[in-house]
Amino acid sequence: MLLNITRENHTPLHQAERERDRLPPISSHSSSGLDRGPKLPYPSLNFISNHRKEDGSHSISSQFILPGIRHGRELPPICPNVRLKHQHQHRITVDNLPPEVRARFATDPVMPLRTKTVKEFQEDIERATVSGDWKHVHDFYLTTFGSFLELNAAFKKDASPSFNTIEDSGINTKFINAVYDALSLTPPDAQRAVLKGIINSLLREWKGSRRTKDDLRAYFILVQNPQCTSPATYVIYAHLLRQIAALAEADHYFLMHWFKKLSQKRFKQLVERLHLFISTRLFPVKPEELPPMAKCSWWIPSATKVLSLLNAANIISSTPILPFVDFYNPTLDHTDFMEDYRIWQTQGNSTRFTFCQFAFILSTVVKKAVIQKDSEQQMISMARQSLVDKVSRRQRVDMSLLFLNIKVRRLQLVSDSMDELTRNRADLKKKLKVSFVGEAGLDMGGLTKEWFLLLIRQIFHTDYGMFTFFNDSHCHWFSSWKCDNFSEFRLVGVLMGLAVYNSITLDISFPPCVYKKLLTPPVVPCDLDLPVGNATLTLDDLQQVMPDLSHGLAELLSYEGNVEEDFCTTFQVSQEELGVIKSYNLKPGGDKIPVTNQNRKEYVQLYVDFLLNKSIYRQFTTFYYGFHSVCASDALMLLRPEEVEILVCGSPNLDMSSLQKAAQYEGYSKTDPTIRAFWDVVLGFPLKFQKRLLHFSTGSDRVPVGGMADLNFKISKIDASTEWLPISHTCFNQICLPPYKNKKELKQKLTIAISNAEGFGLE
């Protein structure tokens, strides 16, 4: 759909700039025209001297306004030390200008009086639907969207108040929703009238350098237009997004707070509309419908910046309006994100746009791939350096030097692993290979998964004493006991780092705040004396670890009686460490400072900080440095805490139906009786046995970032006796089944196999 209009130029522009910023033309038969030029911070003399008579003002000659001066640019500089000749004869001031000219400077635009209500508008729509006469509705749309002034007149709750607050946009949201919902029911000419009006509005306002709150309200209204889902309207939509993206930071702050007041339905529509715009521009179904990418390279940056306002609104909302994954754009999974990452690494948040500057839009799949490729480059670099060192010293080259080789005994798993990781500290960024003493298994990935699983199981056992398990929250937390050596916490950090580095998922039950602390900061500071892991945590974070204590502190905050007399507590807390009760002051002299109604908020903040930061500072610091000794990467700056958790732990939610759909077969087809019996048995298993099956066939009972499809799960046929148990190759996520005669036999043999799934051997 092409819309044409002729634009008058009231301000001389460079030809290249005019071409770059040109809005699409509207048809010449439009009667609205354009009655004013670009918005300027102050009225220009040129505007006064050349104002059109048809607007109702008097034409004033330039000689009258500026006697003896041919052009406004020839005005002498204003300087307090210069005495002007004949200053009293030729000085031009507001006071000696004619009244009709002075009014141009002093008078603000008068908002038209619009009194139509939601009910009256809906009645207009109903009458037009019955009669087929849409002229009244058409005129309403054309007038309302014709300028920012008219938009405010129609949709502002009250024309007189300014509504200059972040809490209330002053917009009649119900009316806007009614107008936009009815738009799809109107004839095409009414819909075109809206688009023509929007273009007129944007043409009038796009050059303004100072925005009023009424301007922001107009942008807030226009960006909700449901017409912006079709490529035919994308040129207009792009210019709207460009103007919003170019607003000042203070204006963005207002819009952000207004966005969070939208209903979830309208908010989600905005997000989806922007995602569709970005995806269509990247991979258009019909490229001929859009301008060449070279001429509209600013489209995607503008849309992404506006989407970032919605993401910020979602974050600052007391309860997130949408889950953060709704801001992912899956289309970007198919772009050259490594090139985007490389540019971001070298240029940072410079003027050159990259998606990495707006990491919220990148899915966990992309971020995992970036970390993996970044890790692979570091692995190759470390291996190459080791090889060069050997050759330079004329030593015999052993291919094992290309790997981080871990050799452990099952009965001394923790101590052997600590010794091996300490001895090979310089090789942590090489590809990991594990072998168990006395077992002939070759590590193609399966032994590594087994090593991680068994080691984590032992370290996190409560008898080991490093971590406490809270039954209420079903999570582990760092033990607060003090000792001289915290090296085992470093081992846990290294294990987590190696898991991310080698794309292994771990069965760890840490609360989300651990991952917040791991990213505080996301890159290890150069000054090792700077504190790390001291995240700003709240009562909500404590709720995820110690829900009962969090509930008690919340009641303290809301207590309406006398806190000091009724609670009788001070700024001193006690906790048990290895069976001994120890007391700690939350602030100097805390044991003598009573908690009162006035200072209880401070008490709760200090208590939360003590429990989640200070009491475990040394343990967590050692853990932090262990993790970052392996995972030191700029890519960590792209991650949210929740995404780090997904990378480390995968997803615990098993969907065997998805695994069935993604399964591959070798020697079997999905219609074979054995395969049908296999899936009948597996889908009927309780969750406990489904996890055992996943662990048996893949070496882990967790689902990776990309879901079940990323497992590349394969079922192969082996020509063996049906007396054999199923065999697995965890290195390749493969399970091998003999052609069992019936479902009962298959279930019996499979249950025995998955219940005895430790140890490796060679056929």
Side-chain angles (χ1 to χ4, degrees):
M1 173 175 56
L2 286 176
L3 308 169
N4 300 309
I5 190 172
T6 349
R7 179 183 173 192
E8 293 185 40
N9 290 308
H10 296 288
T11 309
L13 290 172
H14 189 278
Q15 181 63 30
E17 181 183 356
R18 208 161 48 223
E19 176 66 24
R20 184 180 69 248
D21 295 327
R22 182 170 58 87
L23 281 168
I26 303 181
S27 59
S28 57
H29 61 265
S30 171
S31 61
S32 58
L34 197 63
D35 60 358
R36 58 189 173 107
K39 197 173 179 183
L40 297 170
Y42 301 100
S44 66
L45 292 170
N46 189 49
F47 176 83
I48 299 171
S49 60
N50 297 298
H51 197 71
R52 294 179 300 169
K53 292 182 180 180
E54 54 266 35
D55 282 346
S57 64
H58 296 281
S59 178
I60 302 167
S61 68
S62 58
Q63 287 79 7
F64 173 80
I65 294 180
L66 297 174
I69 297 179
R70 290 180 307 220
H71 197 278
R73 292 184 180 178
E74 298 177 24
L75 283 170
I78 299 175
C79 177
N81 298 323
V82 177
R83 298 181 64 183
L84 300 177
K85 191 174 182 180
H86 308 298
Q87 57 182 348
H88 294 292
Q89 298 177 16
H90 301 295
R91 179 181 296 166
I92 303 300
T93 68
V94 173
D95 293 330
N96 59 31
L97 284 173
E100 63 271 20
V101 178
R102 282 207 305 270
R104 283 287 166 188
F105 286 92
T107 304
D108 289 331
V110 178
M111 188 172 292
L113 183 62
R114 302 285 292 276
T115 59
K116 188 179 290 294
T117 64
V118 178
K119 184 179 179 181
E120 290 170 346
F121 173 78
Q122 291 172 337
E123 290 172 351
D124 289 345
I125 294 292
E126 291 172 3
R127 280 194 295 270
T129 304
V130 174
S131 66
D133 182 6
W134 291 88
K135 184 179 184 307
H136 193 57
V137 174
H138 175 279
D139 293 343
F140 169 82
Y141 278 114
L142 183 63
T143 304
T144 299
F145 289 88
S147 71
F148 282 12
L149 205 61
E150 291 285 357
L151 282 168
N152 278 276
F155 297 118
K156 203 171 177 181
K157 293 177 186 175
D158 192 329
S160 51
S162 58
F163 293 102
N164 292 340
T165 68
I166 60 173
E167 297 304 325
D168 186 2
S169 65
I171 293 295
N172 187 338
T173 305
K174 187 177 179 181
F175 196 5
I176 293 176
N177 294 340
V179 168
Y180 278 143
D181 290 343
L183 188 55
S184 60
L185 307 174
T186 62
D189 63 331
Q191 298 181 33
R192 284 194 294 268
V194 173
L195 295 175
K196 292 175 185 178
I198 293 174
I199 294 175
N200 285 339
S201 298
L202 297 180
L203 281 171
R204 288 183 171 122
E205 305 297 335
W206 69 302
K207 277 295 179 181
S209 60
R210 180 174 56 89
R211 295 297 181 191
T212 67
K213 295 302 176 288
D214 282 345
D215 293 335
L216 299 187
R217 272 182 276 275
Y219 286 126
F220 181 64
I221 295 166
L222 292 179
V223 79
Q224 298 180 56
N225 188 345
Q227 292 176 293
C228 300
T229 54
S230 166
T233 64
Y234 275 179
V235 173
I236 303 170
Y237 190 39
H239 280 82
L240 171 61
L241 297 176
R242 187 185 202 181
Q243 291 190 23
I244 295 175
L247 292 171
E249 184 177 344
D251 296 333
H252 284 160
Y253 183 73
F254 272 84
L255 285 176
M256 178 178 66
H257 281 271
W258 292 349
F259 281 139
K260 79 172 185 178
K261 301 287 185 181
L262 291 173
S263 68
Q264 184 187 42
K265 175 186 174 183
R266 305 289 173 177
F267 189 88
K268 187 172 184 178
Q269 287 173 346
L270 274 178
V271 172
E272 291 175 345
R273 205 171 293 140
L274 286 162
H275 278 313
L276 180 62
F277 176 81
I278 293 170
S279 300
T280 306
R281 178 61 277 184
L282 283 171
F283 301 105
V285 178
K286 297 179 180 179
E288 66 276 5
E289 290 184 346
L290 300 177
M293 179 65 89
K295 291 187 176 181
C296 55
S297 57
W298 49 271
W299 281 27
I300 291 174
S302 297
T304 307
K305 288 172 185 175
V306 175
L307 188 61
S308 71
L309 292 178
L310 292 166
N311 179 61
N314 194 59
I315 292 172
I316 65 172
S317 180
S318 55
T319 302
I321 307 166
L322 298 176
F324 68 89
V325 295
D326 283 6
F327 287 88
Y328 292 162
N329 191 320
T331 306
L332 302 181
D333 297 359
H334 308 287
T335 61
D336 188 358
F337 48 78
M338 284 310 299
E339 176 63 14
D340 188 272
Y341 175 68
R342 185 193 63 78
I343 295 171
W344 174 73
Q345 266 191 311
T346 55
Q347 301 188 21
N349 293 327
S350 64
T351 53
R352 183 168 180 180
F353 171 81
T354 61
F355 284 113
C356 287
Q357 294 169 343
F358 304 90
F360 67 86
I361 200 174
L362 300 174
S363 70
T364 315
V365 173
V366 169
K367 292 168 184 173
K368 179 189 175 184
V370 168
I371 289 175
Q372 275 186 312
K373 292 182 183 296
D374 204 33
S375 301
E376 288 169 5
Q377 290 300 317
Q378 294 184 47
M379 287 179 183
I380 293 169
S381 178
M382 288 292 297
R384 184 186 292 119
Q385 187 60 46
S386 298
L387 190 62
V388 170
D389 290 345
K390 282 280 186 182
V391 172
S392 63
R393 292 196 295 266
R394 298 184 179 181
Q395 296 176 343
R396 183 169 175 266
V397 176
D398 184 357
M399 292 306 293
S400 65
L401 65 85
L402 301 178
F403 300 94
L404 168 60
N405 295 289
I406 302 293
K407 191 171 185 178
V408 294
R409 297 166 291 179
R410 285 185 182 270
L411 295 179
Q412 284 81 34
L413 189 64
V414 176
S415 58
D416 284 1
S417 297
M418 283 190 64
D419 292 342
E420 288 285 274
L421 291 173
T422 302
R423 183 173 60 84
N424 296 290
R425 181 175 293 186
D427 297 330
L428 292 177
K429 292 194 174 184
K430 294 180 181 178
K431 181 69 176 175
L432 177 63
K433 282 195 176 295
V434 176
S435 60
F436 288 91
V437 175
E439 297 182 19
L442 295 177
D443 190 11
M444 300 295 289
L447 286 171
T448 296
K449 295 176 184 177
E450 174 82 354
W451 175 68
F452 273 113
L453 185 74
L454 297 177
L455 192 55
I456 290 297
R457 188 182 296 169
Q458 286 194 29
I459 287 175
F460 280 84
H461 197 283
T462 52
D463 291 345
Y464 206 74
M466 289 179 63
F467 296 94
T468 302
F469 185 77
F470 291 97
N471 290 316
D472 292 342
S473 56
H474 302 288
C475 70
H476 288 95
W477 189 248
F478 295 79
S479 294
S480 57
W481 49 265
K482 306 296 185 292
C483 66
D484 296 328
N485 186 5
F486 293 97
S487 58
E488 290 185 340
F489 288 101
R490 180 182 178 87
L491 169 65
V492 180
V494 169
L495 282 175
M496 279 183 55
L498 286 172
V500 173
Y501 205 63
N502 290 270
S503 301
I504 306 292
T505 54
L506 302 179
D507 187 9
I508 295 178
S509 301
F510 275 142
C513 60
V514 166
Y515 303 98
K516 289 183 184 179
K517 289 165 68 66
L518 263 183
L519 295 180
T520 311
V523 177
V524 177
C526 298
D527 185 355
L528 298 182
D529 293 330
L530 291 175
V532 296
N534 279 340
T536 303
L537 303 175
T538 66
L539 209 54
D540 291 335
D541 296 297
L542 185 63
Q543 168 74 24
Q544 297 166 342
V545 186
M546 309 170 191
D548 289 343
L549 178 57
S550 173
H551 179 70
L553 292 175
E555 286 190 337
L556 172 66
L557 290 175
S558 60
Y559 187 68
E560 296 180 357
N562 190 310
V563 170
E564 183 177 359
E565 292 180 359
D566 297 344
F567 282 82
C568 299
T569 188
T570 64
F571 276 73
Q572 184 183 68
V573 294
S574 302
Q575 64 178 13
E576 182 182 343
E577 295 177 8
L578 299 176
V580 179
I581 303 296
K582 294 188 176 182
S583 298
Y584 297 92
N585 288 341
L586 297 180
K587 58 193 297 188
D591 57 326
K592 295 180 176 59
I593 304 174
V595 178
T596 65
N597 293 64
Q598 290 71 38
N599 63 17
R600 57 183 170 180
K601 187 174 181 181
E602 179 192 10
Y603 169 78
V604 170
Q605 289 174 339
L606 291 174
Y607 199 179
V608 170
D609 184 59
F610 171 78
L611 290 171
L612 303 184
N613 286 323
K614 291 181 179 176
S615 66
I616 59 162
Y617 178 74
R618 291 189 63 189
Q619 294 90 320
F620 193 88
T621 299
T622 312
F623 169 77
Y624 172 94
Y625 281 116
F627 177 82
H628 286 274
S629 66
V630 186
C631 264
S633 171
D634 291 337
L636 287 178
M637 291 191 283
L638 304 177
L639 297 173
R640 296 170 56 97
E642 300 92 334
E643 292 168 333
V644 178
E645 181 178 11
I646 292 172
L647 288 176
V648 171
C649 304
S651 171
N653 302 317
L654 302 189
D655 183 359
M656 286 300 175
S657 298
S658 297
L659 185 65
Q660 180 183 10
K661 292 175 184 176
Q664 304 169 34
Y665 303 98
E666 186 177 69
Y668 286 117
S669 70
K670 63 181 179 180
T671 58
D672 286 338
T674 303
I675 297 301
R676 289 204 302 267
F678 174 82
W679 287 115
D680 285 345
V681 169
V682 170
L683 294 175
F685 271 156
L687 180 62
K688 177 181 178 181
F689 280 88
Q690 288 180 345
K691 285 192 171 187
R692 285 183 181 179
L693 171 69
L694 200 62
H695 172 234
F696 172 72
S697 53
T698 69
S700 171
D701 62 0
R702 313 286 286 190
V703 182
V705 169
M708 288 294 198
D710 265 18
L711 285 174
N712 295 318
F713 180 69
K714 180 184 285 188
I715 303 176
S716 300
K717 183 177 183 179
I718 53 172
D719 293 323
S721 168
T722 54
E723 295 298 317
W724 282 39
L725 297 175
I727 298 170
S728 68
H729 300 290
T730 54
C731 310
F732 309 109
N733 299 335
Q734 182 180 17
I735 186 170
C736 303
L737 298 175
Y740 295 114
K741 298 175 184 177
N742 53 58
K743 179 178 173 180
K744 181 179 178 181
E745 184 181 25
L746 186 148
K747 182 176 182 179
Q748 180 190 14
K749 294 290 195 295
L750 184 61
T751 303
I752 295 172
I754 64 178
S755 300
N756 299 273
E758 283 190 11
F760 287 79
L762 290 176
E763 297 177 16

